[in-house]
Amino acid sequence: MKQYVVDAFTDHVFAGNPAAVCVMEQWLPDEMMQKIAIENNLSETAFAVKEGEHYRLRWFTPGGEVELCGHATLATAYIITRFVEPAQSTVRFDTLSGLLTVEKCGKLLTMDFPSFELRRVPVTEMLTRALGVTPAEVYLGADMVCVLKDEQQVRGVVPDQALIRQMDGLCLHVTAPGEHFDCITRSFAPKCNVAEDPVCGRAHCHVIPLWAQRLGKTELTAYQASPRGGVLYCRFAGDRTVLSGSAALYSEAELHV
C-alpha cells in the first residue's frame, strides 16, 4: 500500500504540518489503521477510500481517531488532485464532521469546514499553572481556547502537558493578535499523544470565528507559531470557516502491512 507524507500549510518541506496519507481501494481494520498512525508518529495519518462520487476520509492520531483534522484533509486533497485524479479540481469528503469540500485554486487548496461554537468559561488556577501565564479570556468548544495578551506571550508558553490532559476539550489552543498577521496561535494535544500540533486547521475553526467578530472582518491571515510554522488564509462565514493553504510533498513510500 502506498503512503505519502505531505507538509501542509506551507509551500516547502520541513515546515508546516506533516501528515501521512493513504488513499486505498478498500478499508483496513480500524486496529491496523491505528497501528500505522502510531508507527508514523505524526500528528495525523489520513485514510481515504472512494465511495461513489465522494471519498470517505478518516483521521487517526497516535492516540486515536478524531472527528476533524484540517491539515490532513488538505494533504489528502493534495495527493488526490496530484496523483490519484489529477483532472479533478474539487474533492468531496464524507467524514465524522459531515461533508467537507476542498477546491484547488492555483497553488492553494481551499477547505470548507464547520465553525465551532464557543462559550466563555472561567480562568482557573490550574490553567494558569499549565500555561505559565494567566489568560485574559478562556473559551470552550470542542477544544479549549485561551486568549493571551500578545504574540510574545503565545510564543513563550511552555505547557505542562500532564495538566492539559486533565482539562476539558480535546486540544488546547493559545491565541493572540499577531504583529504581522491578524492572529497567532499555538496548539497542544497531549490527549492525542501530540505535544504540539505544528499547524492545526481544527484550531482555526475555533479561533477564526472569535477573531473575525473581534476584529470586525471576515478575511483573516493567520499564523501558527510552532517551531515549524505555517500560514493559513481564512474566511469566516458564520457556521462555516473556510481555510486555504499550500502543501509540499515530502515522501512516497510502500507500506508492507
Side-chain angles (χ1 to χ4, degrees):
M1 185 175 70
K2 179 162 281 191
Q3 176 177 274
Y4 302 87
V5 174
V6 176
D7 290 339
F9 296 117
T10 179
D11 59 2
H12 59 280
V13 296
F14 307 125
N17 199 352
V21 176
C22 299
V23 181
M24 310 177 297
E25 294 184 0
Q26 59 187 16
W27 289 106
L28 297 173
D30 287 9
E31 181 183 6
M32 178 61 71
M33 291 190 286
Q34 184 62 65
K35 286 181 176 178
I36 292 170
I38 293 170
E39 187 77 5
N40 287 333
N41 199 31
L42 298 171
S43 60
E44 220 82 34
T45 298
F47 298 92
V49 173
K50 191 162 192 183
E51 299 178 352
E53 295 300 313
H54 299 175
Y55 285 85
R56 185 163 298 278
L57 177 61
R58 298 174 68 183
W59 310 278
F60 285 79
T61 74
E65 186 173 9
V66 295
E67 87 284 5
L68 183 66
C69 177
H71 83 281
T73 302
L74 188 150
T76 305
Y78 174 84
I79 292 303
I80 290 171
T81 57
R82 179 169 175 177
F83 296 109
V84 182
E85 296 188 72
Q88 295 295 325
S89 59
T90 301
V91 185
R92 292 178 174 85
F93 295 111
D94 292 316
T95 77
L96 292 176
S97 290
L99 178 65
L100 305 178
T101 301
V102 185
E103 294 187 7
K104 188 176 181 181
C105 307
K107 293 184 177 181
L108 295 179
L109 290 158
T110 298
M111 307 183 292
D112 181 359
F113 273 25
S115 301
F116 285 101
E117 292 186 13
L118 299 176
R119 60 182 176 88
R120 191 164 180 174
V121 296
V123 178
T124 64
E125 187 269 338
M126 179 186 286
L127 185 54
T128 295
R129 286 194 288 120
L131 300 178
V133 63
T134 301
E137 302 164 25
V138 181
Y139 296 88
L140 187 63
D143 301 342
M144 184 173 285
V145 176
C146 299
V147 180
L148 304 187
K149 181 179 68 173
D150 55 31
E151 179 170 324
Q152 293 309 310
Q153 280 196 343
V154 171
R155 291 184 180 274
V157 166
V158 180
D160 185 319
Q161 303 283 344
L163 288 180
I164 292 175
R165 278 184 179 272
Q166 301 175 41
M167 295 179 184
D168 293 333
L170 181 64
C171 309
L172 185 147
H173 314 292
V174 293
T175 188
E179 295 173 2
H180 304 290
F181 298 88
D182 290 302
C183 61
I184 184 168
T185 301
R186 290 174 67 196
S187 302
F188 310 106
K191 294 177 185 177
C192 301
N193 292 339
V194 177
E196 180 167 2
D197 198 18
V199 190
C200 184
R202 173 193 178 98
H204 288 82
C205 293
H206 287 78
V207 304
I208 291 303
L210 187 153
W211 289 117
Q213 294 173 29
R214 189 159 301 189
L215 298 174
K217 57 196 298 188
T218 57
E219 305 276 346
L220 298 94
T221 304
Y223 185 73
Q224 189 102 24
S226 68
R228 294 175 64 97
V231 177
L232 304 91
Y233 304 97
C234 311
R235 178 168 59 86
F236 176 59
D239 62 351
R240 308 296 292 181
T241 296
V242 180
L243 306 175
S244 299
S246 302
L249 179 66
Y250 172 68
S251 69
E252 301 177 46
E254 294 291 334
L255 301 188
H256 297 275
V257 297

